[in-house]
Amino acid sequence: MELSLSSSLHSTTPASFSLSTNSTSPPRQNLGLFSAAASNFSSRVLLKFNKSSILRQPRPVVVKSQSSSEITNDNDDHGFVLEDVPHLTSFLPDLPSYPNPLKYSQAYAIVKNTFVSPEDVVAQQIVVQKGSPRGIHFRRAGPREKVYFKPEQVRACIVTCGGLCPGINTVIREIVCGLHNMYGVDDVLGIQGGYRGFYSQNTIKLTPKLVNDIHKRGGTCLQTSRGGHDTKKIVDNIQDRGINQVYIIGGDGTHKGAAAISKEVEKRGLQVAVVGIPKTIDNDIAVIDKSFGFDTAVEEAQRAINAAHVEAECVANGVGIVKLMGRYSGFIAMFATLASRDVDCCLIPESPFYLEGQGGLLEYVEQRLKENGHVLIVLAEGAGQEYVSQSAQAVNGTDASGNRLLLDVGLWLTQEVKDHFTNVRKMEINLKYIDPTYMIRAIPSNAYDNIYCTLLAQSAVHGTMAGYTGFTVGPVNSRHAYIPINRVTEKTNTVRLTDRMWARLLASTNQPSFLQKCEIVRERVDKETMEVIDDMRITSI
């Protein structure tokens, strides 16, 4: 049976989808027609389908704005929501399209389906129950049959913003090589020094030869900075230089800047595609499965944890403390702890803890010392900041990216443990404190992250050549997708204390949950977690 789907996706008029069957054998089932209406590319499209097949019966279409998080079921609990990304033709309707050069690529000739179907989407939720709505979906990433740029007319630029992260150079390399090898684009500029580099720094011409081995080095070959975002100046520079593809590598704040650039480009009616590649070592970007560099960071953190464990194990009453990165999210600390299996206690920003009294951290440390003769603690840099601010001069400022400045919780905890055992317990301990935070983020990416960065870069290249703009790329349930920028900036991804992963950590370390003191817990823990805690208390009573 041969299925053919036709659509007019880049038009302000409703798009139609048709399905035909060409087969010599009788069809197994009757397949009907379905139709969908597409508004502009910054809207949610809600399609309703039959329970057993998405192609059996026509269903009404409801168009919803992206800002709405509610799914309207229209008396049918099988709602399908497509959170689409903008397209250049939504504000440049007469923009011509061209055949994709990959059609003639020797490398892609072996691919059964060279181009991604316009109807291919990726589900945000894959674990569902019978009768539940189908939920939110994103456009699947990959090459399209039509492109909206002639390769010889493309002038692309790449900029890196914010902090360092393993894999940035790999992304830069693969954008340059992807544009050149897949689409024949030779004009790629590197913007030096972050956003302010658009109007205050020189650019460098990036060629496959120049970037050939940069993936073997940590950091970014383009340099980076925080802040410096001036939308008007940046777009003026883009326009003056004749740039028509902008690749922006950065985290939450960087993506907000990318969204502002995209809106200004649309306002001026420029044929400029803007794409973000999400970067954060903390893995705190929403929607996507994980950020690049995270696996490398967890792997490198093992070196520090192993060193601290050896130091603690080889002396009497040894205490090892390792501080890892994690301003608001404790993913590095959590995954490094799970990978190590030597850690006795993991402290993260999402989970409140207290020092003294029954069930407190100091009592637990003393207990582990009596049982094993040593103890190993891993903590994220954002953990326990409320305690540090009480014992030290609070810092209320922010950095150029708007991130809250943190006090050193590692040094504070080290001193608290020393004081407790020296002055209270009159007990001699041997404590070693290791802070590898900036060593972890400055190293080259490992093999897995190198492959991941390649997929991110190529997905971004395919998307911009296909005319999409104002989007970011990333894996959603292990399938790469094009995601509206506002979805990855509307909230921060954090460790959920009610998820199984945190439960696995507690089972691995046998540490207390530190959730007995309600006045602390209610200030720091979300409502859902508090309901679970209260239920546990009622059950125990």
Side-chain angles (χ1 to χ4, degrees):
M1 181 176 69
E2 177 184 344
L3 303 181
S4 66
L5 294 171
S6 64
S7 65
S8 176
L9 289 176
H10 307 306
S11 171
T12 55
T13 59
S16 63
F17 300 80
S18 64
L19 177 69
S20 62
T21 63
N22 297 319
S23 176
T24 56
S25 60
R28 294 184 180 180
Q29 59 185 12
N30 293 325
L31 298 176
L33 302 176
F34 71 96
S35 63
S39 184
N40 63 40
F41 281 78
S42 61
S43 65
R44 284 185 178 179
V45 182
L46 180 60
L47 306 178
K48 300 298 180 183
F49 295 111
N50 182 282
K51 181 182 296 185
S52 59
S53 172
I54 65 170
L55 299 176
R56 286 176 182 265
Q57 300 293 334
R59 293 289 179 178
V61 178
V62 179
V63 179
K64 295 176 65 63
S65 66
Q66 280 187 349
S67 59
S68 173
S69 60
E70 180 182 353
I71 298 176
T72 303
N73 289 322
D74 292 345
N75 300 320
D76 185 342
D77 63 350
H78 291 274
F80 175 100
V81 178
L82 172 62
E83 290 203 349
D84 214 344
V85 296
H87 194 273
L88 291 174
T89 55
S90 62
F91 59 92
L92 297 171
D94 298 326
L95 198 65
S97 63
Y98 314 95
N100 194 320
L102 287 179
K103 184 177 182 180
Y104 312 104
S105 168
Q106 182 178 358
Y108 276 78
I110 64 171
V111 180
K112 184 177 181 180
N113 296 312
T114 302
F115 303 114
V116 172
S117 168
E119 285 75 36
D120 284 356
V121 294
V122 178
Q124 184 175 18
Q125 254 339 93
I126 59 171
V127 179
V128 296
Q129 291 78 40
K130 182 178 180 181
S132 63
R134 295 190 61 201
I136 295 172
H137 295 70
F138 304 103
R139 283 201 179 275
R140 182 186 174 194
R144 265 54 179 177
E145 192 169 2
K146 297 291 184 181
V147 297
Y148 287 80
F149 294 93
K150 288 184 176 180
E152 64 273 14
Q153 296 176 352
V154 171
R155 167 167 277 194
C157 75
I158 305 171
V159 63
T160 57
C161 307
L164 297 181
C165 178
I168 297 177
N169 277 335
T170 305
V171 175
I172 295 171
R173 181 190 189 279
E174 296 309 317
I175 291 174
V176 175
C177 293
L179 283 168
H180 181 271
N181 298 335
M182 294 187 296
Y183 290 97
V185 174
D186 294 320
D187 195 357
V188 184
L189 301 177
I191 306 296
Q192 295 178 299
Y195 275 135
R196 60 171 50 90
F198 276 101
Y199 51 85
S200 65
Q201 298 276 346
N202 292 326
T203 62
I204 59 175
K205 185 172 177 62
L206 299 177
T207 64
K209 183 177 180 180
L210 182 66
V211 302
N212 183 54
D213 62 351
I214 62 173
H215 62 290
K216 300 175 183 178
R217 306 194 296 270
T220 167
C221 67
L222 296 179
Q223 300 182 338
T224 186
S225 68
R226 296 187 183 275
H229 186 276
D230 187 315
T231 304
K232 186 178 183 302
K233 285 184 179 181
I234 292 172
V235 179
D236 284 345
N237 186 272
I238 290 172
Q239 194 169 0
D240 292 343
R241 291 181 181 271
I243 295 169
N244 50 20
Q245 290 185 8
V246 182
Y247 297 86
I248 301 173
I249 306 170
D252 174 80
T254 301
H255 272 68
K256 290 177 181 177
I261 293 171
S262 179
K263 289 178 181 177
E264 181 65 19
V265 164
E266 180 178 352
K267 180 180 177 182
R268 300 188 188 188
L270 305 177
Q271 186 186 347
V272 178
V274 181
V275 57
I277 294 93
K279 168 204 67 71
T280 169
I281 199 170
D282 292 340
N283 195 39
D284 58 1
I285 292 181
V287 182
I288 65 174
D289 295 345
K290 72 171 70 172
S291 54
F292 73 81
F294 175 71
D295 280 341
T296 303
V298 171
E299 182 179 307
E300 186 67 15
Q302 298 302 294
R303 301 178 186 273
I305 293 174
N306 291 340
H309 183 246
V310 170
E311 291 283 352
E313 196 176 32
C314 292
V315 294
N317 294 327
V319 178
I321 297 179
V322 179
K323 186 183 79 172
L324 300 175
M325 303 196 86
R327 184 181 298 272
Y328 304 112
S329 304
F331 286 105
I332 292 180
M334 180 176 71
F335 276 79
T337 295
L338 280 169
S340 170
R341 302 294 176 179
D342 291 325
V343 178
D344 297 292
C345 185
C346 177
L347 305 174
I348 60 175
E350 297 88 337
S351 179
F353 69 93
Y354 57 99
L355 285 174
E356 308 199 357
Q358 184 177 3
L361 176 61
L362 295 175
E363 180 188 73
Y364 176 67
V365 170
E366 186 176 347
Q367 173 190 337
R368 299 302 290 173
L369 285 175
K370 290 179 180 178
E371 293 175 354
N372 296 335
H374 65 275
V375 63
L376 178 57
I377 302 171
V378 168
L379 74 159
E381 60 181 332
Q385 286 295 312
E386 67 276 15
Y387 295 115
V388 191
S389 61
Q390 294 172 8
S391 58
Q393 184 176 0
V395 179
N396 296 320
T398 59
D399 62 19
S401 296
N403 298 314
R404 179 168 58 98
L405 294 175
L406 301 179
L407 296 168
D408 196 327
V409 66
L411 292 176
W412 168 82
L413 182 60
T414 298
Q415 193 59 49
E416 289 291 326
V417 172
K418 285 181 178 178
D419 290 345
H420 174 77
F421 285 98
T422 301
N423 302 327
V424 179
R425 291 300 179 190
K426 308 297 181 180
M427 176 180 170
E428 182 181 355
I429 62 171
N430 290 281
L431 191 149
K432 295 294 186 293
Y433 171 56
I434 297 178
D435 180 358
T437 48
Y438 289 99
M439 294 173 62
I440 286 175
R441 75 177 197 172
I443 65 171
S445 53
N446 64 13
Y448 177 86
D449 273 324
N450 269 333
I451 296 172
Y452 178 23
C453 290
T454 299
L455 296 177
L456 285 174
Q458 292 188 1
S459 293
V461 168
H462 292 316
T464 53
M465 290 298 295
Y468 293 112
T469 184
F471 69 98
T472 190
V473 296
V476 179
N477 294 316
S478 301
R479 292 291 184 271
H480 283 250
Y482 297 143
I483 307 163
I485 287 181
N486 69 294
R487 284 302 313 275
V488 300
T489 59
E490 62 188 6
K491 67 177 182 178
T492 300
N493 188 31
T494 57
V495 175
R496 294 179 63 84
L497 303 184
T498 53
D499 278 0
R500 288 189 178 89
M501 190 60 76
W502 184 245
R504 294 184 185 109
L505 181 139
L506 295 180
S508 172
T509 61
N510 288 316
Q511 70 188 66
S513 61
F514 302 116
L515 295 180
Q516 285 84 348
K517 290 195 174 181
C518 299
E519 66 276 11
I520 297 176
V521 174
R522 292 187 183 278
E523 291 177 1
R524 297 286 307 280
V525 182
D526 59 80
K527 181 179 178 182
E528 180 183 349
T529 304
M530 277 309 309
E531 292 174 351
V532 174
I533 296 167
D534 289 339
D535 290 341
M536 291 170 63
R537 287 201 190 94
I538 294 172
T539 303
S540 63
I541 293 173

